């Protein structure tokens, strides 16, 4: 008998659904520079502090027991989240990063032909999860680098089924206020879901930042997502979560992998949540350096978009000091600094720079100062 894969040499190769082939695979940030043993990596919005020591200890402890399946309901993690933020734990779902939550919501609720609204240059995963389910993309250009809520409202049609709003946005770093989010929600049909992606929520300082948890508690069609990848420093463990209505939680729980968040990740996340002092100092550092980087780089003549996140975006479309996006990226690489050029988001002349520890931030400032002086 012939082996299975040689049975019929005339068989057609398998073909994915057509919408899958419209997806450009996600490309992550660079992680190394040839010739630099220890480059400064500011390209993926990771926290420069790493995780809380309590989270590392919990993770180590969980290494005794790797043969066991984890709690598929992440019961203790959900309880810890509910206690920390004053939420109903029945409305919480956890995922392998908030990326997985976004995928699951799209998979459970989008049908081919459904329309999905998002800002034109926002987080690329929204496009990927929408196309993966045959939805029609409705990107809306930003206004002054910020989500244009009026234009998004204008893009709503009877076919609109989902709106993604990264708040703060990645890669621009801008955020929208409570009043604008309320208007956007009010304009949506009840069977459309508004996803408020709060991956960078902990870093926000603007006073009118919307309370996504209150909104998702009050409205069945609002999903508020959060992650342990940023301020909690657990990106490699892949833990994210969402607060959502009963119907959304139920749908996600039907289709998610039964053990989608590993046990060591669950206990590390619980420990991270309880180390409030660690989190507070990471946020304070970010707030101080975000202002300093914004002011200094703008002072050197490189326009910075005011940010509410743990990174800043530079708009080099005016070629300040002769540097467009590609030239600035190359100059920084020569200094041993990796930043994110945003060509994949359709912004070839924009750079996104994560806020690092003081020496990394000083290195960035030194490099731009030299570039201002004409150094290449
Ligand atoms: N949303 C936004 C806006 C992000 O920038 C990211 C991280 N790049 C995510 C969600 C996903 O993060 P994670 O899957 O690590 O939770």
């Amino acid at each position: 008998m012939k082996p299975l894969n040689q049975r019929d040499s005339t068989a057609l190769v398998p073909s994915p659904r057509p919408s899958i082939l419209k997806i450009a695979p996600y490309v992550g940030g660079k992680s190394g520079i040839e010739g630099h043993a220890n480059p400064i990596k500011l390209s993926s919005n990771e926290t420069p502090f790493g995780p809380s020591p309590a989270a590392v200890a919990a993770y180590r402890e969980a290494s005794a027991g790797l043969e066991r399946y984890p709690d598929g309901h992440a019961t203790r993690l959900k309880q810890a989240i509910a206690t920390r933020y004053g939420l109903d734990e029945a409305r919480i779902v956890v995922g392998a990063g908030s990326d997985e939550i976004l995928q699951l919501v799209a998979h459970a609720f989008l049908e081919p032909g459904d329309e999905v609204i998002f800002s034109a240059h926002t987080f690329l995963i929204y496009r990927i999860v929408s196309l993966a389910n045959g939805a029609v993309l409705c990107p809306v250009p930003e206004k002054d680098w910020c989500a244009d809520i009026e234009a998004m409202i204008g893009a709503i049609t009877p076919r609109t089924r989902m709106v993604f709003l990264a708040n703060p946005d990645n890669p621009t770093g801008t955020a929208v206020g409570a009043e604008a989010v309320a208007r956007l929600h009010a304009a949506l049909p009840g069977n459309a879901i508004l996803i408020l992606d709060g991956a960078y929520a902990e870093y926000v300082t603007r006073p009118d930042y919307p309370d996504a948890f209150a909104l998702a508690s009050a409205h069945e069609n609002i999903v508020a997502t959060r992650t342990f990848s940023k301020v909690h420093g657990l990106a490699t463990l892949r833990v994210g979560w969402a607060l959502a209505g009963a119907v959304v939680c139920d749908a996600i729980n039907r289709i998610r992998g039964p053990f989608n968040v590993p046990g060591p990740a669950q206990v590390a996340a619980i420990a991270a949540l309880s180390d409030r002092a660690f989190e507070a100092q990471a946020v304070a550092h970010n707030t101080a350096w975000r202002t300093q980087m914004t002011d200094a780089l703008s002072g050197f003549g490189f326009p910075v978009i005011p940010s509410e996140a743990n990174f800043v975006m530079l708009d080099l479309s005016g070629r300040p000091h002769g540097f467009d996006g590609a030239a600035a990226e190359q100059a920084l690489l020569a200094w041993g600094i990796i930043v994110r050029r945003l060509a994949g988001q359709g912004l070839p002349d924009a750079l996104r720079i994560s806020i690092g520890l003081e020496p990394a931030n000083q290195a960035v400032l030194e490099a731009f100062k030299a570039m201002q002086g004409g150094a290449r």
Side-chain angles (χ1 to χ4, degrees), residues 235-282:
T236 204
L237 293 186
R238 314 303 304 128
V239 197
W241 60 279
L243 184 73
V247 171
V248 174
C249 290
D250 175 66
I252 287 178
N253 282 326
R254 286 170 193 262
I255 59 171
R256 70 177 173 84
F259 304 106
N260 58 339
V261 181
Q266 294 184 29
V267 292
I270 292 169
L273 264 190
S274 63
D275 195 345
R276 305 281 288 265
F278 186 88
E279 184 181 331
Q281 75 82 34

Side-chain angles (χ1 to χ4, degrees), residues 105-106 109-110 115-117 160-164 192-195:
V105 177
F109 288 92
L110 291 177
E115 294 177 1
V116 180
I117 296 173
T160 303
R161 285 290 170 275
M162 210 161 273
V163 179
F164 287 101
I193 295 176
L194 173 60
I195 298 174

Side-chain angles (χ1 to χ4, degrees), residues 26-33 36-50 229-230 235-236 293 310-311 332-333 335-340 352-357 359-361 363-364:
Y26 184 84
V27 181
K30 276 195 187 67
S31 57
I33 310 176
H36 279 268
N38 288 309
I40 296 172
K41 182 174 181 287
L42 300 171
S43 54
S44 297
N45 300 340
E46 295 144 341
T47 174
F49 294 101
S229 301
K230 306 298 174 187
T236 204
M293 299 295 279
N310 67 341
F311 55 85
L332 291 166
L333 287 172
W335 281 77
I337 301 167
I338 306 173
V339 301
R340 188 72 171 267
R352 195 192 65 196
I353 308 177
S354 308
I355 303 295
L357 293 178
N361 300 335
V364 171

